[in-house]
């Protein structure tokens, strides 16, 4: 029994020792700071760049380096940071050394994970390599009982999964980084910190007492994955990241000030915050980029969501913002939301393909445009349990396939025929002309009306559904009713002459601006026995395609006495010179050459 007890005690002691060794300091409020002193002045000379928070709790702040982060000087936050820094320094003092080193480090020296001690002031000359031995959780701790300085052009290198966030130095004296040197790690210093000309410090340099002096240097600390792109553009290559390992799912990602390459996703990725102070881009590259935090961009680098399969989704649990100029050309392919709160669009945002909201409220602030081109028309595909607040602008591209009538509708509430006219402007390939004999119209020699609504109850023409009196002309500043269809003669854009005889036709894009109609729209239908006998011109009220079969199956009780039939005027069909109907009746499509289907696109109306 004694032998067993002895063995148990020995194992427990070993486990306790291992657990003690495996701990890194808890920096608390100081964890986000790249440079900080609890007591001392902060001075910069030359052009320095800092990624991370900076500050002092007792001293002047001078020199104005470029800082991507917060600056706190002698305030309540800096006081908390100073307290947590002193606590962390004290806790490091209690760590027991595993290996005693000489006071001179470097000269291509390689060390493995351990707690190292230097018994007096030390120096680093040349390269010191820290080998993580394939373990990204490996820990390196150095305790220096005195000052520590590096010679010119000296480097701390990390290999084999060694992680900058797990490298700590406690220096009981001043720290000096020599000209052109590169240091990787976190230093807690009981003295001054000096970073000399053209040096680079990756990590956190924190002093409990002493001035901070930096001269034309770069300091980078980011609480998350930090992109450098030193190998190539692949997100999945560990050595493209400063800390030598890929960001974990949901972790913040940031860019160094001058990365070597853009960053391209290799697969669908979930990230927290995105911080980019560089001129390099984060490209979804055909994948979905899900963001749970904030987006902060401080230079010309953008987020690119340009290919048809690329998507950005906002999945936070608190309010998220899409800052102005976040995306290349302010344009993205696909936007998603699965949010418990709101997402605010704070600058121009153009969508080329689809918007899908699983939950949450998208606040447009009137900045969202659903683009339309010859290749695609952006749609609101699905809103499961969320909503859209604010106006959206919806476009519809009209090809140059003849001066003909088209059945149109408005995919927003609040659209007007004046908007179809591009507010009576003259921008090339925008808007169309609406002519007539009354109201706000574009002048033409014939004064012939070119836009109409349909009146099912008009009995003048009896049962002839195409009788002219059933088509009521509208002028060029008419409020468009959601769910109502309109017949509009499209000549092309607003450059077409109305005062000379011509057959010119060119491409144009119409637009309307208003609010999203929401989950359901009630469309009143009429039946007049001595008139059109129930033929109604109905418009798709949504900025998305509706499936007639699905609509009928989900609301069968609403379709009593409604025929299972759609008739859509197609200007390219050859039934007549002006086109012909593409019909879908009782599940069968007909038309020449284009046959009808159960799918009614946005902007489309039908009989």
């Amino acid at each position: 029994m004694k032998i067993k007890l002895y063995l148990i005690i020995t194992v427990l002691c070993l486990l306790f020792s291992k657990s003690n060794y495996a701990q890194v300091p808890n920096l608390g409020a100081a964890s986000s700071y790249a440079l900080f002193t609890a007591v001392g002045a902060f001075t910069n000379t030359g052009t320095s760049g800092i990624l991370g928070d900076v500050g002092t709790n007792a001293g002047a702040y001078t020199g104005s380096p470029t800082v991507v982060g917060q600056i706190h000087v002698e305030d309540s936050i800096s006081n908390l940071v100073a307290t947590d820094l002193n606590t962390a320094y004290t806790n490091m003092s209690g760590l027991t050394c595993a290996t005693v080193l000489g006071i001179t480090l470097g000269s291509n020296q390689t060390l493995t994970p351990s707690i190292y001690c230097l018994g007096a002031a030390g120096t680093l000359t040349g390269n010191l390599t820290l080998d993580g031995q394939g373990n990204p959780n490996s820990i390196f701790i150095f305790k220096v009982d005195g000052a520590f300085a590096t010679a010119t052009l000296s480097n701390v290198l990390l290999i084999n999964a060694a992680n900058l966030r797990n490298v700590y130095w406690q220096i009981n004296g001043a720290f000096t980084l020599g000209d052109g040197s590169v240091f990787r790690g976190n230093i807690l210093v009981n003295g001054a910190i000096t970073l000399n000309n053209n040096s680079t410090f990756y990590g956190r340099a924190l002093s409990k007492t002493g001035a901070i002096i930096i001269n034309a240097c770069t300091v980078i600390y980011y609480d998350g994955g930090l992109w450098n792109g030193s190998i190539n553009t692949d997100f999945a290559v560990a050595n493209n990241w400063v800390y030598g390992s890929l960001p974990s799912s949901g972790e913040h990602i940031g860019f160094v000030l001058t990365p070597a390459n853009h960053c391209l996703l290799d697969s669908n990725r979930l990230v927290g915050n995105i911080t980019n102070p560089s001129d390099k881009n984060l490209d979804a590259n055909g994948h979905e980029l899900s963001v749970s935090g904030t987006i902060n961009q401080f230079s010309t680098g953008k987020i690119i969501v340009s290919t048809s399969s690329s998507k950005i989704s906002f999945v936070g649990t608190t309010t998220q913002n899409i800052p102005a100029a976040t995306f290349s050309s302010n344009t993205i392919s696909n936007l998603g939301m699965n949010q418990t709160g709101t997402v605010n669009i704070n600058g121009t945002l153009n969508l080329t393909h689809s918007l899908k909201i699983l939950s949450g409220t998208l606040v447009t602030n009137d900045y969202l445009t659903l683009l339309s081109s010859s290749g695609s028309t952006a749609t609101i595909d699905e809103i499961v349990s969320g909503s859209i607040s604010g106006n959206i602008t919806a476009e519809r591209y009209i090809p140059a396939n003849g001066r003909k009538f088209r059945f149109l509708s408005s995919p927003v509430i609040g659209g007007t025929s004046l908007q179809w006219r591009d507010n009576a402007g003259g921008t090339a390939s925008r808007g169309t002309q609406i002519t007539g004999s009354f109201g706000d119209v574009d002048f033409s020699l014939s004064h012939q009306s070119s836009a109409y609504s349909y009146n099912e109850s008009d009995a003048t023409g009896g049962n002839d559904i195409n009788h002219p009196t059933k088509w009521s002309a509208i002028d060029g500043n008419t409020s468009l009713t959601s769910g109502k269809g309109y017949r509009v003669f499209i000549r092309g854009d607003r450059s077409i002459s109305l005062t000379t005889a011509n057959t010119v036709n060119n491409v144009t894009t119409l637009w309307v601006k208003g609010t999203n109609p929401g989950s359901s729209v009630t469309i009143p239908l009429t039946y007049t026995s001595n008139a059109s006998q129930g033929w109604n011109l109905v418009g798709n009220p949504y900025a998305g395609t509706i499936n007639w079969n699905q609509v009928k199956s989900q609301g069968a009780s609403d379709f009593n006495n409604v025929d299972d039939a759609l008739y859509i005027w197609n200007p390219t069909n050859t039934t007549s010179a002006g086109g012909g109907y593409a019909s879908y009746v009782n599940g069968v499509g007909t038309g020449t050459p284009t046959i009808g289907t159960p799918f009614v696109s946005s902007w489309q109306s039908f009989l």
Side-chain angles (χ1 to χ4, degrees):
M1 292 296 294
K2 292 182 179 179
I3 294 175
K4 291 182 179 178
L5 180 61
Y6 173 76
L7 289 175
I8 291 171
I9 292 173
T10 301
V11 171
L12 288 174
C13 288
L14 288 172
L15 289 174
F16 178 80
S17 174
K18 181 71 173 178
S19 175
N20 183 51
Y21 158 70
Q23 301 302 308
V24 296
N26 180 2
L27 297 179
S31 62
S32 65
Y33 282 75
L35 290 171
F36 183 83
T37 175
V39 180
F42 183 106
T43 304
N44 170 72
T45 58
T47 303
S48 297
I50 303 169
L51 175 59
D53 298 339
V54 299
T56 173
N57 193 46
Y61 181 91
T62 59
S64 300
T66 298
V67 177
V68 180
Q70 299 183 24
I71 301 173
H72 288 280
V73 178
E74 296 184 3
D75 59 18
S76 59
I77 293 178
S78 67
N79 185 61
L80 179 59
V81 174
T83 299
D84 288 353
L85 170 58
N86 282 315
T87 299
Y89 187 95
T90 300
N91 290 341
M92 284 194 72
S93 298
L95 296 177
T96 302
C97 288
T99 305
V100 177
L101 298 173
I103 60 174
T104 301
L105 304 180
S107 300
N108 295 320
Q109 180 181 17
T110 298
L111 297 175
T112 56
S114 187
I115 300 179
Y116 296 99
C117 290
L118 283 69
T123 59
L124 169 63
T125 301
N127 292 335
L128 170 64
T129 300
L130 306 183
D131 183 353
Q133 299 181 315
N135 180 9
N137 297 314
S138 59
I139 294 174
F140 297 82
I141 293 179
F142 297 85
K143 300 177 65 176
V144 183
D145 193 13
F148 191 81
T150 78
T152 299
L153 301 176
S154 295
N155 301 289
V156 176
L157 306 174
L158 307 180
I159 64 172
N160 295 332
N163 192 322
L164 179 150
R165 287 171 287 189
N166 292 333
V167 178
Y168 281 84
W169 298 68
Q170 183 194 51
I171 300 170
N172 189 24
F175 172 83
T176 302
L177 184 60
D179 290 1
S181 295
V182 179
F183 194 93
R184 295 174 175 86
N186 305 279
I187 61 172
L188 279 63
V189 180
N190 186 25
I193 295 174
T194 302
L195 308 181
N196 285 320
N197 191 51
N198 293 325
S199 63
T200 301
F201 192 102
Y202 291 105
R204 294 169 285 203
L206 312 173
S207 172
K208 65 192 295 286
T209 178
I212 293 179
I213 302 170
I214 61 175
N215 178 26
C217 66
T218 300
V219 183
I220 296 174
Y221 178 75
Y222 187 70
D223 186 17
L226 190 57
W227 176 263
N228 186 42
S230 56
I231 306 299
N232 53 32
T233 61
D234 192 349
F235 185 103
V237 174
N239 286 334
N240 279 325
W241 299 89
V242 170
Y243 303 148
S245 60
L246 298 184
S248 59
S249 180
E251 187 174 10
H252 304 325
I253 63 170
F255 284 57
V256 299
L257 299 175
T258 55
N261 288 292
H262 301 295
C263 179
L264 275 62
L265 295 194
D266 63 306
S267 62
N268 295 342
R269 295 282 182 176
L270 170 64
V271 302
N273 298 339
I274 298 174
T275 303
N276 189 356
S278 77
D279 63 350
K280 296 298 188 289
N281 301 323
L282 174 60
D283 192 335
N285 191 35
H287 304 289
E288 182 175 7
L289 173 64
S290 297
V291 183
S292 64
T294 62
I295 297 175
N296 300 290
Q297 292 170 286
F298 302 92
S299 186
T300 57
K302 305 293 183 183
I303 298 175
I304 298 178
V305 190
S306 58
T307 64
S308 60
S309 58
S310 294
K311 182 178 183 179
I312 185 165
S313 292
F314 291 85
V315 296
T317 57
T318 59
T319 298
Q320 292 180 273
N321 295 295
I322 304 177
T326 291
F327 303 102
S328 177
S329 301
N330 297 317
T331 301
I332 61 175
S333 293
N334 300 287
L335 174 62
M337 273 186 62
N338 191 4
Q339 240 268 14
T340 57
T342 62
V343 173
N344 298 304
I345 301 175
N346 293 333
T348 300
L349 182 60
N350 303 314
L351 190 68
T352 62
H353 283 78
S354 70
L355 166 65
K356 184 173 183 177
I357 301 177
L358 296 179
S359 63
T361 300
L362 179 65
V363 180
T364 70
N365 292 309
D366 292 5
Y367 285 126
L368 179 62
T369 297
L370 307 179
L371 296 181
S372 183
S373 67
S374 60
S376 65
T377 295
T379 60
I380 300 175
D381 277 358
E382 186 176 16
I383 300 178
V384 177
S385 63
S387 62
I388 299 175
S389 174
N391 289 326
I392 59 176
T393 298
E395 293 185 349
R396 169 55 70 175
Y397 173 86
I398 307 292
N401 53 16
R403 296 159 61 99
K404 301 177 181 181
F405 279 102
R406 299 169 190 270
F407 284 3
L408 300 180
S409 65
S410 173
V412 300
I413 296 174
T416 68
S417 59
L418 180 61
Q419 294 168 347
W420 283 350
R421 297 169 61 211
D422 195 34
N423 286 337
T427 303
S429 301
R430 301 286 290 182
T432 194
Q433 293 157 326
I434 295 180
T435 58
S437 58
F438 68 93
D440 186 354
V441 294
D442 295 297
F443 176 79
S444 68
L445 294 178
S446 68
H447 303 296
Q448 178 67 44
S449 294
S450 63
Y452 301 87
S453 62
Y454 189 75
N455 183 4
E456 186 276 338
S457 62
D458 178 84
T460 303
N463 296 333
D464 180 4
I465 66 172
N466 291 315
H467 194 277
T469 60
K470 298 186 187 300
W471 295 97
S472 301
I474 65 171
D475 76 350
N477 192 13
T478 296
S479 295
L480 304 175
T481 302
S482 180
K484 187 173 184 176
Y486 299 88
R487 184 170 68 116
V488 183
F489 188 72
I490 304 294
R491 301 171 176 86
D493 71 9
R494 295 182 55 77
S495 68
I496 304 295
S497 174
L498 298 176
T499 58
T500 58
N502 67 77
T503 58
V504 175
N505 171 233
N506 57 15
V507 301
T508 190
T509 298
L510 307 185
W511 62 269
V512 287
K513 185 176 184 178
T515 58
N516 187 58
S519 59
S520 63
V521 175
T522 299
I523 301 174
L525 303 179
T526 60
Y527 179 89
T528 308
S529 60
N530 64 338
S532 297
Q533 295 184 332
W535 288 93
N536 288 260
L537 186 61
V538 177
N540 179 356
Y542 301 110
T545 299
I546 59 175
N547 183 335
W548 176 256
N549 291 336
Q550 186 175 4
V551 171
K552 285 206 66 176
S553 66
Q554 291 180 347
S557 62
D558 296 326
F559 282 80
N560 294 329
N561 301 318
V562 175
D563 289 341
D564 186 7
L566 300 176
Y567 293 85
I568 296 176
W569 187 260
N570 189 321
T572 64
N573 274 3
T574 57
T575 307
S576 68
Y581 285 106
S583 62
Y584 182 78
V585 181
N586 295 321
V588 178
T590 59
T592 306
T594 302
I595 65 173
T597 73
F599 301 104
V600 182
S601 64
S602 64
W603 283 79
Q604 183 69 64
S605 62
F606 56 92
L607 284 168

